[in-house]
Structures are given as C-alpha cells and as structure tokens.
Amino acid sequence: MDYYRGRRLRQNCVIRDFCRETKPLGREELIMPYFVVETDDRNYRKEIPSMPGQYQLSLAQLEKMVAKDIENGLMTTLLFGLPTRKDEQATSAWEENGIVQQAVRMLKKLWPDLLVITDVCLCEYMSHGHCGVLSADGAILNDQTLPLLAKTAVSHAQAGADIVAPSDMMDGRVAAIRKALDAAGYINVPIMSYAAKYASSFYGPFRDAAESAPACGDRKSYQMDYGNAREALLEVKADLAEAADMLIVKPAGAYGDIIKLARENTLVPICAYQVSGEYSMIKAAGINGWINEQATMLESLVGMKRAGADSIITYFTSEILAKKLAR
C-alpha cells in the first residue's frame, strides 16, 4: 500500500536538518534595539523592570554594550532616544545634538560597517507622549506633524544613520520624509517604514522603557485596529507608493498572517518586530521555569521567518549572539 510516510524525513537530526524548509536564524537577519538616555552620568545603566535583561543606557554604556554585541557578531542596531527635555513640538527629536544624533555619530565613528537604523517618531520627545502634534481639544494633527517627522529623519541622516524607520503612523509621512531626505542630499538613505503597526497591548513594557506613555487618550486613531488585516495591505501599498524601501510589521507574534499577507503582495524586504510584551512574556515564563525559554524564543523567531520575514527586530538579539544561536 502506497501512502505518505512523513516520518521517513524526521527519523534523525541529520535528515531533519537537511529537509528543513525554514533555515535557522542568521546574524544578518537580527536587529538589536537599544534605549539611549541623554544624561551627564556616564555610568547610567538602568535595567527596565518590565523587560528583564534590557537597559536604559548612557552614551558611554551604549558604547560598551554595542562593543560586546559586535564582538559576538552584531551587524544591525535600532536606536531609541530618551531626551532630558520634552515639549509640544518634539524639539529634541530633530535638533542637531539630540541624543539619537549623538549616538549615531558615535557608533558610526567607532564601527563604520555597523548598520544603524533610527526610529523616527515623536512620542518620546513630546510632553504629552503622543506621536504627533496635539490640538487644543486633544486631537492628533496629522499634516502639522509631517514637517517635524521629516526634520527628524533628515537630522538622523545628517548624523550618519544608514536607514530611517518612521513608526508614527501618520498618513503621508513616508512621502514627506522621502521628499525632505532627497532635498537635503540623502537620496541613498532608505526608509524602513512601520507600515502595519497595530494599536497593541503588547507595547506596555516599551512605554516603560522609552518613557513614552500618552498622558491623555490613546493611539487608536493612528495605529491600526488589531481586528483588521485588509487594512494592513492598504497601509503597505500606500507606503510603497510613497517610496518606502522596506516594511515593518509590528507586533509580530500574533500577526503572522499580516507578515504573510505583506510577503505575498510585495517584493520589498519585510521586517518583523518582536515587541517588548512578546519578549517579556517569554522572559517571565522562562524565569519562572514554566517554559524552556531558549527553545521558545527560537521557535517564536523562526515562526516569523516562516511567515515571510526577511529580518527581525528582537530584544533577544544580544542573547542569541552571545550564546552562538545564530548562523
């Protein structure tokens, strides 16, 4: 009797590895996020309580941590800034000597080949914690926000950023940023757009890390409803039409269908962002002995690759590299 015998190809680790469809993680696919703080204290290194193993770092401490990660094989990083001063125009986001701009210059001077991506958003720099300019009655003013985002992106490029990644979800921001970059002479700086970014409960720990929780209301008028998939495709197509070079899906763990949808309908590189809450849930369960943390971590990340992600932003990157878990 002829029938499919799947176990023939599972009988030992050699043949399983040979037949594996989605290959193990490669270090070129992994992006490590860092939170850099504007402070005079060179020794500032504060663990984020809701993200075990992750830290807010001074420039000097960022240098130390990146040096260690590069020694272990780090190739790409994503920077978030925590300024000392916040206002209603996010001035610290786009000033020449802002904290992210300082960090970019330092990293590119020390490691010219390190790929440095900067998060382009205003929430960490706004006194009210929203990603855009706020009206007197609390509404987010989309078009008034675009020039500030464009100025921020240009300031990052001037500092030496290799890629800018707008995460604000304002309509038209990719076009505004592309126009500003080109006008400033940064035609070759790519835009990695957070194209499908959902209003997610999984962001909780990040808001502790970046000190960016909104002081009023929520972000549901500009981030996407988690019940929607077709809308994600509209956002993806809109960003591509505005000249996005790469796309991010955020979060990733509960959004494998969105990663797959983007992969099947576009030809550009797609990045999955395993966000703070996803990281912290795996960490907490591992610390409590409820799961095998390392195995669960790797399974979750390979699942994102299987869905179609070309790269992954994950807070596990440093650990993966240190433990030699990537190719």
Coordinates of all heavy atoms in Angstrom, one line a residue, residues 26-114:
G26 N 20.0 33.7 11.1 CA 21.3 34.2 10.7 C 21.5 35.5 11.4 O 20.6 36.3 11.6
R27 N 22.8 35.8 11.7 CA 23.0 37.0 12.5 C 22.7 38.3 11.6 O 22.4 39.3 12.1 CB 24.5 37.1 13.0 CG 25.5 37.0 11.9 CD 26.9 36.8 12.6 NE 28.0 36.8 11.6 CZ 28.7 37.9 11.3 NH1 28.5 39.0 12.0 NH2 29.7 37.8 10.4
E28 N 22.8 38.1 10.3 CA 22.5 39.2 9.4 C 21.0 39.6 9.4 O 20.6 40.6 8.9 CB 23.0 39.0 8.0 CG 22.1 37.9 7.2 CD 22.4 36.5 7.6 OE1 23.4 36.3 8.4 OE2 21.8 35.6 7.0
E29 N 20.2 38.7 9.9 CA 18.7 38.9 10.0 C 18.2 39.6 11.2 O 17.1 40.0 11.3 CB 18.0 37.5 9.8 CG 18.3 36.7 8.6 CD 17.9 35.3 8.6 OE1 17.8 34.7 9.8 OE2 17.5 34.8 7.6
L30 N 19.1 39.7 12.2 CA 18.7 40.1 13.6 C 19.1 41.6 13.8 O 20.2 42.0 13.5 CB 19.4 39.2 14.6 CG 19.0 37.8 14.6 CD1 19.9 37.0 15.5 CD2 17.5 37.6 14.9
I31 N 18.2 42.3 14.4 CA 18.3 43.7 14.7 C 18.2 43.9 16.2 O 17.1 43.5 16.7 CB 17.3 44.6 13.9 CG1 17.5 44.3 12.4 CG2 17.5 46.1 14.3 CD1 16.3 44.9 11.6
M32 N 19.1 44.5 16.8 CA 19.1 44.7 18.3 C 18.7 46.2 18.6 O 19.4 47.1 18.2 CB 20.5 44.4 18.9 CG 20.5 44.7 20.4 SD 19.4 43.5 21.3 CE 19.2 44.4 22.9
P33 N 17.6 46.4 19.3 CA 17.2 47.7 19.8 C 17.9 48.1 21.0 O 18.1 47.3 21.9 CB 15.7 47.6 20.0 CG 15.3 46.2 19.7 CD 16.6 45.4 19.7
Y34 N 18.2 49.4 21.1 CA 18.9 50.0 22.3 C 18.1 51.3 22.7 O 17.7 52.0 21.8 CB 20.3 50.3 22.1 CG 21.2 49.2 21.7 CD1 21.5 48.9 20.4 CD2 21.8 48.3 22.7 CE1 22.4 47.9 20.0 CE2 22.6 47.3 22.4 CZ 22.9 47.0 21.0 OH 23.7 46.0 20.7
F35 N 18.0 51.5 24.0 CA 17.4 52.7 24.5 C 18.6 53.6 25.1 O 19.2 53.2 26.1 CB 16.4 52.4 25.6 CG 15.3 51.5 25.2 CD1 15.3 50.2 25.3 CD2 14.2 52.1 24.5 CE1 14.3 49.4 24.9 CE2 13.1 51.3 24.1 CZ 13.2 50.0 24.3
V36 N 18.8 54.7 24.4 CA 19.9 55.6 24.8 C 19.4 56.8 25.5 O 18.5 57.5 25.0 CB 20.9 55.9 23.7 CG1 20.2 56.5 22.5 CG2 22.1 56.7 24.1
V37 N 20.0 57.2 26.7 CA 19.4 58.2 27.5 C 20.4 59.4 27.5 O 21.6 59.3 27.6 CB 19.3 57.7 29.0 CG1 18.8 58.8 29.9 CG2 18.4 56.5 29.0
E38 N 19.8 60.6 27.4 CA 20.5 61.9 27.5 C 20.8 62.2 29.0 O 19.9 62.5 29.7 CB 19.7 63.0 26.8 CG 20.5 64.3 26.7 CD 19.7 65.3 25.9 OE1 18.4 65.2 25.8 OE2 20.3 66.3 25.5
T39 N 22.0 62.0 29.4 CA 22.4 62.2 30.8 C 23.9 62.5 30.9 O 24.7 62.1 30.0 CB 22.1 60.9 31.5 OG1 22.6 61.0 32.9 CG2 22.8 59.7 30.9
D40 N 24.3 63.2 31.9 CA 25.7 63.5 32.2 C 26.4 62.4 32.9 O 27.6 62.4 33.1 CB 25.8 64.8 33.0 CG 25.3 66.0 32.2 OD1 25.5 66.0 31.0 OD2 24.8 67.0 32.8
D41 N 25.6 61.4 33.4 CA 26.1 60.3 34.1 C 26.6 59.2 33.2 O 25.8 58.5 32.6 CB 25.1 59.7 35.1 CG 25.6 58.6 35.9 OD1 26.8 58.2 35.8 OD2 24.8 58.0 36.7
R42 N 27.9 59.2 33.0 CA 28.5 58.2 32.0 C 28.2 56.7 32.4 O 28.2 55.8 31.6 CB 30.0 58.4 31.9 CG 30.4 59.7 31.2 CD 31.9 59.8 31.2 NE 32.6 58.6 30.7 CZ 32.8 58.4 29.4 NH1 32.4 59.2 28.5 NH2 33.5 57.3 29.0
N43 N 28.0 56.5 33.7 CA 27.8 55.2 34.2 C 26.3 54.8 34.2 O 26.0 53.7 34.8 CB 28.4 55.0 35.6 CG 29.9 55.2 35.6 OD1 30.6 54.7 34.7 ND2 30.4 56.0 36.5
Y44 N 25.4 55.6 33.7 CA 24.0 55.3 33.8 C 23.6 54.1 33.0 O 23.8 54.0 31.7 CB 23.2 56.5 33.2 CG 21.7 56.4 33.5 CD1 21.1 56.9 34.6 CD2 20.9 55.8 32.5 CE1 19.8 56.7 34.9 CE2 19.5 55.7 32.7 CZ 19.0 56.2 33.9 OH 17.6 56.0 34.2
R45 N 23.2 53.1 33.7 CA 22.7 51.8 33.1 C 21.6 51.2 34.0 O 21.9 50.6 35.0 CB 23.9 50.8 33.0 CG 23.6 49.5 32.3 CD 24.9 48.6 32.3 NE 24.7 47.4 31.6 CZ 24.4 46.2 32.2 NH1 24.3 46.2 33.5 NH2 24.3 45.1 31.5
K46 N 20.4 51.5 33.6 CA 19.3 51.2 34.4 C 18.4 50.1 33.8 O 17.9 50.2 32.7 CB 18.4 52.4 34.6 CG 17.2 52.2 35.5 CD 16.3 53.4 35.5 CE 15.0 53.2 36.3 NZ 14.1 54.4 36.3
E47 N 18.3 48.9 34.5 CA 17.5 47.8 34.0 C 16.0 48.3 33.9 O 15.5 48.9 34.9 CB 17.7 46.6 34.8 CG 17.0 45.4 34.2 CD 17.3 44.0 34.8 OE1 17.7 44.0 36.0 OE2 17.2 43.0 34.1
I48 N 15.4 47.9 32.9 CA 14.0 48.2 32.7 C 13.2 47.1 33.4 O 13.2 45.9 33.0 CB 13.6 48.2 31.2 CG1 14.5 49.3 30.5 CG2 12.1 48.5 31.0 CD1 14.6 49.1 29.0
P49 N 12.4 47.4 34.5 CA 11.8 46.4 35.3 C 10.9 45.4 34.6 O 10.8 44.2 34.9 CB 11.0 47.2 36.4 CG 11.7 48.5 36.5 CD 12.2 48.7 35.1
S50 N 10.2 46.0 33.6 CA 9.2 45.1 32.9 C 9.9 44.4 31.7 O 9.2 43.7 30.9 CB 8.0 46.0 32.4 OG 8.5 47.1 31.6
M51 N 11.2 44.6 31.5 CA 11.9 43.9 30.4 C 13.2 43.4 31.0 O 14.3 44.0 30.7 CB 12.2 44.9 29.2 CG 10.9 45.4 28.6 SD 11.3 46.6 27.2 CE 12.1 45.5 26.0
P52 N 13.2 42.3 31.7 CA 14.4 41.7 32.3 C 15.5 41.6 31.3 O 15.3 41.0 30.2 CB 14.0 40.4 32.8 CG 12.5 40.5 33.0 CD 12.0 41.4 31.9
G53 N 16.7 42.1 31.6 CA 17.8 42.0 30.7 C 18.0 43.1 29.7 O 19.0 43.1 29.0
Q54 N 17.1 44.1 29.8 CA 17.2 45.2 28.9 C 17.4 46.5 29.7 O 16.9 46.6 30.8 CB 15.9 45.4 28.0 CG 15.6 44.1 27.2 CD 16.8 43.8 26.2 OE1 17.2 44.7 25.5 NE2 17.2 42.6 26.2
Y55 N 18.1 47.5 29.1 CA 18.5 48.6 29.9 C 18.3 49.9 29.2 O 18.4 50.0 28.0 CB 20.0 48.5 30.2 CG 20.4 47.2 31.0 CD1 20.6 46.0 30.4 CD2 20.4 47.3 32.4 CE1 20.9 44.9 31.1 CE2 20.7 46.1 33.1 CZ 20.9 44.9 32.5 OH 21.2 43.8 33.2
Q56 N 18.1 51.0 30.0 CA 18.3 52.3 29.5 C 19.8 52.7 29.7 O 20.4 52.4 30.8 CB 17.5 53.3 30.3 CG 16.0 53.2 30.2 CD 15.2 54.1 31.0 OE1 15.8 54.7 32.0 NE2 14.0 54.3 30.7
L57 N 20.5 53.3 28.7 CA 21.9 53.4 28.7 C 22.4 54.8 28.4 O 21.8 55.5 27.5 CB 22.5 52.4 27.6 CG 22.2 51.0 27.7 CD1 22.5 50.3 26.4 CD2 22.9 50.3 28.8
S58 N 23.4 55.2 29.1 CA 24.1 56.5 28.7 C 24.9 56.2 27.4 O 25.0 55.0 27.0 CB 25.0 56.9 29.8 OG 26.1 56.0 29.9
L59 N 25.4 57.2 26.8 CA 26.2 57.0 25.6 C 27.4 56.1 25.8 O 27.7 55.2 25.0 CB 26.7 58.4 25.0 CG 25.7 59.2 24.2 CD1 26.2 60.6 24.0 CD2 25.3 58.5 22.9
A60 N 28.0 56.3 27.0 CA 29.2 55.5 27.3 C 28.8 54.1 27.5 O 29.6 53.2 27.1 CB 29.9 56.1 28.6
Q61 N 27.7 53.8 28.2 CA 27.3 52.5 28.4 C 26.8 51.8 27.1 O 26.9 50.6 26.9 CB 26.2 52.4 29.5 CG 26.7 52.8 30.9 CD 27.8 51.9 31.4 OE1 27.7 50.7 31.3 NE2 28.9 52.5 31.8
L62 N 26.1 52.6 26.3 CA 25.8 52.1 24.9 C 27.0 51.6 24.2 O 27.0 50.5 23.6 CB 25.0 53.2 24.1 CG 24.7 52.9 22.7 CD1 23.6 51.8 22.6 CD2 24.3 54.1 21.9
E63 N 28.0 52.4 24.2 CA 29.3 52.0 23.5 C 29.8 50.7 24.0 O 30.1 49.8 23.3 CB 30.3 53.1 23.7 CG 31.7 52.7 23.1 CD 32.8 53.8 23.4 OE1 32.4 54.9 23.8 OE2 34.0 53.4 23.2
K64 N 29.8 50.5 25.4 CA 30.2 49.2 25.9 C 29.4 48.1 25.5 O 29.9 47.0 25.2 CB 30.2 49.3 27.5 CG 31.3 50.2 28.0 CD 31.3 50.2 29.6 CE 32.4 51.1 30.2 NZ 32.3 51.1 31.6
M65 N 28.0 48.2 25.5 CA 27.2 47.1 25.2 C 27.2 46.8 23.7 O 27.3 45.6 23.3 CB 25.7 47.5 25.6 CG 24.7 46.3 25.4 SD 23.2 46.5 26.3 CE 23.7 46.1 27.9
V66 N 27.3 47.8 22.9 CA 27.4 47.6 21.4 C 28.7 46.9 21.1 O 28.8 46.0 20.3 CB 27.2 48.9 20.6 CG1 27.5 48.6 19.1 CG2 25.8 49.4 20.8
A67 N 29.8 47.3 21.8 CA 31.1 46.7 21.5 C 31.1 45.2 21.8 O 31.6 44.4 21.1 CB 32.2 47.4 22.4
K68 N 30.4 44.9 22.9 CA 30.3 43.4 23.3 C 29.5 42.7 22.3 O 29.8 41.6 21.9 CB 29.7 43.3 24.7 CG 29.5 41.9 25.2 CD 29.0 41.9 26.6 CE 28.8 40.5 27.2 NZ 28.2 40.5 28.5
D69 N 28.4 43.3 21.8 CA 27.5 42.6 20.9 C 28.2 42.5 19.5 O 28.0 41.4 18.8 CB 26.2 43.4 20.7 CG 25.3 43.2 22.0 OD1 25.5 42.3 22.7 OD2 24.3 44.0 22.1
I70 N 29.0 43.5 19.1 CA 29.7 43.4 17.9 C 30.7 42.3 17.9 O 30.9 41.5 17.0 CB 30.3 44.7 17.5 CG1 29.2 45.7 17.0 CG2 31.4 44.6 16.4 CD1 29.7 47.1 16.7
E71 N 31.4 42.1 19.1 CA 32.3 41.1 19.2 C 31.7 39.7 19.1 O 32.3 38.7 18.6 CB 33.0 41.2 20.6 CG 34.1 40.2 20.9 CD 34.7 40.3 22.3 OE1 34.6 41.4 22.9 OE2 35.3 39.4 22.7
N72 N 30.4 39.6 19.4 CA 29.6 38.4 19.3 C 29.0 38.2 17.9 O 28.3 37.2 17.6 CB 28.5 38.3 20.4 CG 29.1 38.1 21.7 OD1 30.2 37.5 21.9 ND2 28.5 38.6 22.8
G73 N 29.1 39.3 17.0 CA 28.6 39.1 15.7 C 27.5 40.1 15.3 O 26.9 39.9 14.2
L74 N 27.2 41.1 16.1 CA 26.1 42.0 15.8 C 26.4 42.7 14.5 O 27.5 43.2 14.3 CB 25.9 43.0 16.9 CG 24.8 44.1 16.7 CD1 23.4 43.5 16.8 CD2 25.0 45.3 17.7
M75 N 25.4 42.9 13.6 CA 25.5 43.6 12.4 C 24.6 44.8 12.2 O 24.9 45.7 11.5 CB 25.2 42.6 11.2 CG 26.2 41.4 11.2 SD 25.9 40.3 9.8 CE 26.4 41.2 8.4
T76 N 23.5 44.8 13.0 CA 22.5 45.8 12.8 C 21.8 46.2 14.1 O 21.5 45.4 14.9 CB 21.3 45.4 11.8 OG1 21.9 44.8 10.6 CG2 20.4 46.5 11.5
T77 N 21.6 47.5 14.3 CA 21.0 48.0 15.5 C 19.9 49.0 15.2 O 19.9 49.6 14.1 CB 22.1 48.7 16.4 OG1 21.5 49.1 17.6 CG2 22.7 49.9 15.7
L78 N 19.0 49.2 16.1 CA 17.9 50.2 16.1 C 18.0 51.0 17.3 O 18.0 50.5 18.4 CB 16.6 49.4 16.0 CG 15.3 50.3 16.0 CD1 15.2 51.2 14.9 CD2 14.1 49.4 16.1
L79 N 18.0 52.3 17.1 CA 18.1 53.3 18.3 C 16.8 54.0 18.6 O 16.1 54.5 17.8 CB 19.2 54.3 17.9 CG 20.6 53.8 17.7 CD1 21.5 55.0 17.4 CD2 21.1 53.1 19.0
F80 N 16.6 54.0 19.9 CA 15.5 54.8 20.5 C 16.1 55.8 21.5 O 17.0 55.4 22.3 CB 14.5 54.0 21.3 CG 13.7 53.0 20.4 CD1 14.2 51.7 20.2 CD2 12.6 53.4 19.7 CE1 13.5 50.8 19.4 CE2 11.9 52.5 18.9 CZ 12.4 51.2 18.7
G81 N 15.7 57.1 21.5 CA 16.2 58.1 22.4 C 15.3 58.5 23.5 O 14.1 58.6 23.3
L82 N 15.9 58.8 24.6 CA 15.2 59.4 25.8 C 15.8 60.7 26.1 O 16.9 60.8 26.7 CB 15.3 58.4 27.0 CG 14.3 57.2 27.0 CD1 14.9 56.1 26.1 CD2 14.2 56.7 28.4
P83 N 15.2 61.8 25.8 CA 15.8 63.1 26.0 C 15.5 63.6 27.4 O 14.7 63.1 28.1 CB 15.0 64.0 25.0 CG 13.6 63.4 25.0 CD 13.9 61.9 25.1
T84 N 16.3 64.7 27.8 CA 16.0 65.3 29.1 C 14.9 66.3 29.0 O 14.2 66.6 30.0 CB 17.3 66.0 29.6 OG1 17.7 66.9 28.6 CG2 18.4 65.0 29.9
R85 N 14.7 66.8 27.8 CA 13.7 67.9 27.6 C 12.6 67.5 26.6 O 12.9 67.0 25.5 CB 14.4 69.2 27.1 CG 13.5 70.3 26.8 CD 14.3 71.6 26.5 NE 15.3 71.3 25.5 CZ 15.1 71.4 24.2 NH1 13.9 71.7 23.7 NH2 16.1 71.2 23.3
K86 N 11.3 67.7 27.0 CA 10.2 67.4 26.1 C 9.4 68.6 26.0 O 9.2 69.4 26.9 CB 9.3 66.2 26.7 CG 10.1 64.9 27.0 CD 9.2 63.8 27.4 CE 10.0 62.5 27.6 NZ 9.1 61.3 27.8
D87 N 8.8 68.8 24.8 CA 7.9 69.9 24.6 C 6.8 69.5 23.6 O 6.7 68.4 23.2 CB 8.6 71.2 24.1 CG 9.4 70.9 22.9 OD1 9.0 70.2 22.0 OD2 10.5 71.5 22.7
E88 N 6.0 70.5 23.2 CA 4.9 70.1 22.3 C 5.2 70.2 20.8 O 4.3 70.1 20.0 CB 3.7 71.1 22.6 CG 3.1 70.8 24.0 CD 1.8 71.5 24.3 OE1 1.3 72.1 23.4 OE2 1.2 71.3 25.4
Q89 N 6.5 70.4 20.5 CA 7.0 70.4 19.1 C 8.1 69.4 18.9 O 8.7 69.3 17.9 CB 7.5 71.8 18.7 CG 6.4 72.8 18.5 CD 5.5 72.5 17.4 OE1 5.9 72.3 16.3 NE2 4.2 72.5 17.7
A90 N 8.3 68.5 20.0 CA 9.3 67.5 19.9 C 10.7 68.0 19.5 O 11.4 67.4 18.7 CB 8.8 66.3 19.0
T91 N 11.0 69.1 20.0 CA 12.3 69.8 19.5 C 13.5 68.9 19.7 O 14.4 68.9 18.8 CB 12.5 71.1 20.4 OG1 11.3 71.9 20.3 CG2 13.6 71.9 19.8
S92 N 13.6 68.2 20.8 CA 14.7 67.3 21.0 C 14.8 66.2 20.0 O 15.9 65.6 19.9 CB 14.7 66.7 22.4 OG 14.8 67.7 23.4
A93 N 13.8 65.9 19.3 CA 13.8 64.8 18.3 C 14.6 65.2 17.1 O 15.3 64.3 16.4 CB 12.4 64.4 17.8
W94 N 14.6 66.5 16.7 CA 15.3 66.8 15.4 C 16.4 67.8 15.6 O 17.0 68.3 14.6 CB 14.3 67.4 14.5 CG 13.2 68.3 15.0 CD1 12.0 68.0 15.5 CD2 13.3 69.7 15.2 NE1 11.3 69.1 16.0 CE2 12.1 70.2 15.8 CE3 14.3 70.7 15.0 CZ2 11.8 71.5 16.1 CZ3 14.0 72.0 15.3 CH2 12.8 72.4 15.8
E95 N 16.8 68.2 16.8 CA 17.9 69.1 17.0 C 19.3 68.4 16.7 O 19.4 67.2 16.8 CB 18.0 69.7 18.4 CG 18.2 68.7 19.5 CD 18.0 69.3 20.9 OE1 17.7 70.5 20.9 OE2 18.3 68.7 21.9
E96 N 20.2 69.1 16.2 CA 21.5 68.6 15.7 C 22.2 67.7 16.8 O 22.8 66.7 16.4 CB 22.4 69.7 15.3 CG 23.7 69.2 14.7 CD 24.6 70.4 14.3 OE1 24.2 71.6 14.3 OE2 25.8 70.1 13.9
N97 N 22.1 68.1 18.0 CA 22.8 67.4 19.1 C 21.9 66.6 20.0 O 22.2 66.5 21.1 CB 23.7 68.4 19.9 CG 24.9 67.7 20.5 OD1 25.5 66.8 19.9 ND2 25.2 68.1 21.7
G98 N 20.8 66.2 19.4 CA 19.9 65.3 20.2 C 20.6 64.0 20.5 O 21.6 63.6 20.0
I99 N 19.9 63.3 21.4 CA 20.6 62.1 22.0 C 20.8 61.0 20.9 O 21.8 60.3 20.8 CB 19.8 61.5 23.2 CG1 20.6 60.3 23.8 CG2 18.4 61.2 22.9 CD1 22.0 60.6 24.2
V100 N 19.8 60.8 20.0 CA 19.9 59.8 19.0 C 21.0 60.3 18.0 O 21.8 59.4 17.5 CB 18.6 59.6 18.2 CG1 18.8 58.8 16.9 CG2 17.6 58.8 19.2
Q101 N 21.0 61.5 17.7 CA 22.0 62.1 16.7 C 23.4 61.8 17.3 O 24.4 61.4 16.6 CB 21.8 63.5 16.5 CG 20.5 63.8 15.6 CD 19.2 63.8 16.5 OE1 19.2 63.4 17.6 NE2 18.1 64.3 15.9
Q102 N 23.6 62.1 18.6 CA 24.9 61.8 19.3 C 25.3 60.4 19.2 O 26.4 60.0 18.9 CB 24.8 62.3 20.7 CG 24.7 63.8 21.0 CD 24.7 64.1 22.5 OE1 25.7 63.7 23.2 NE2 23.7 64.7 22.9
A103 N 24.3 59.5 19.4 CA 24.5 58.1 19.4 C 24.9 57.6 18.1 O 25.8 56.7 17.9 CB 23.3 57.3 20.0
V104 N 24.2 58.1 17.0 CA 24.6 57.7 15.7 C 26.0 58.1 15.3 O 26.8 57.2 14.8 CB 23.6 58.3 14.7 CG1 24.0 58.0 13.2 CG2 22.2 57.7 14.9
R105 N 26.3 59.3 15.6 CA 27.7 59.7 15.3 C 28.7 58.9 16.0 O 29.8 58.5 15.4 CB 27.9 61.2 15.6 CG 27.1 62.2 14.7 CD 27.6 63.6 14.9 NE 27.2 64.2 16.1 CZ 26.0 64.8 16.3 NH1 25.2 65.0 15.3 NH2 25.7 65.3 17.5
M106 N 28.5 58.6 17.2 CA 29.5 57.8 18.0 C 29.6 56.4 17.4 O 30.7 55.9 17.2 CB 29.0 57.7 19.5 CG 29.9 56.8 20.3 SD 29.2 56.5 22.0 CE 28.0 55.2 21.5
L107 N 28.5 55.7 17.1 CA 28.5 54.4 16.6 C 29.2 54.3 15.3 O 30.0 53.4 15.0 CB 27.1 53.8 16.6 CG 26.4 53.6 17.9 CD1 25.0 53.0 17.7 CD2 27.2 52.6 18.8
K108 N 28.8 55.2 14.4 CA 29.4 55.2 13.0 C 30.9 55.5 13.0 O 31.6 55.0 12.1 CB 28.6 56.1 12.1 CG 27.2 55.7 11.9 CD 27.0 54.3 11.3 CE 27.6 54.2 9.9 NZ 27.3 52.8 9.3
K109 N 31.3 56.4 14.0 CA 32.7 56.7 14.1 C 33.5 55.4 14.5 O 34.6 55.1 14.0 CB 32.9 57.8 15.0 CG 34.4 58.2 15.2 CD 34.6 59.4 16.1 CE 36.0 59.8 16.3 NZ 36.2 61.0 17.2
L110 N 33.0 54.7 15.5 CA 33.7 53.6 16.1 C 33.6 52.4 15.2 O 34.5 51.6 15.1 CB 33.1 53.3 17.5 CG 33.4 54.3 18.5 CD1 32.6 54.0 19.8 CD2 34.9 54.3 18.9
W111 N 32.4 52.2 14.6 CA 32.1 51.0 13.8 C 31.5 51.4 12.5 O 30.2 51.2 12.3 CB 31.3 50.0 14.5 CG 31.9 49.5 15.8 CD1 32.9 48.6 16.0 CD2 31.5 49.9 17.1 NE1 33.2 48.5 17.3 CE2 32.4 49.2 18.1 CE3 30.5 50.8 17.7 CZ2 32.3 49.4 19.4 CZ3 30.4 50.9 19.0 CH2 31.3 50.2 19.9
P112 N 32.2 51.8 11.5 CA 31.6 52.3 10.2 C 30.8 51.3 9.5 O 29.8 51.7 8.8 CB 32.8 52.7 9.4 CG 33.9 52.9 10.4 CD 33.7 52.0 11.5
D113 N 31.1 50.0 9.7 CA 30.3 49.0 9.0 C 29.1 48.5 9.7 O 28.3 47.7 9.2 CB 31.2 47.7 8.7 CG 32.3 48.1 7.8 OD1 32.1 48.9 6.9 OD2 33.4 47.4 7.9
L114 N 28.9 49.0 11.0 CA 27.6 48.7 11.7 C 26.5 49.3 11.0 O 26.5 50.5 10.7 CB 27.8 49.1 13.1 CG 26.5 48.9 14.0 CD1 26.3 47.4 14.3 CD2 26.7 49.6 15.4

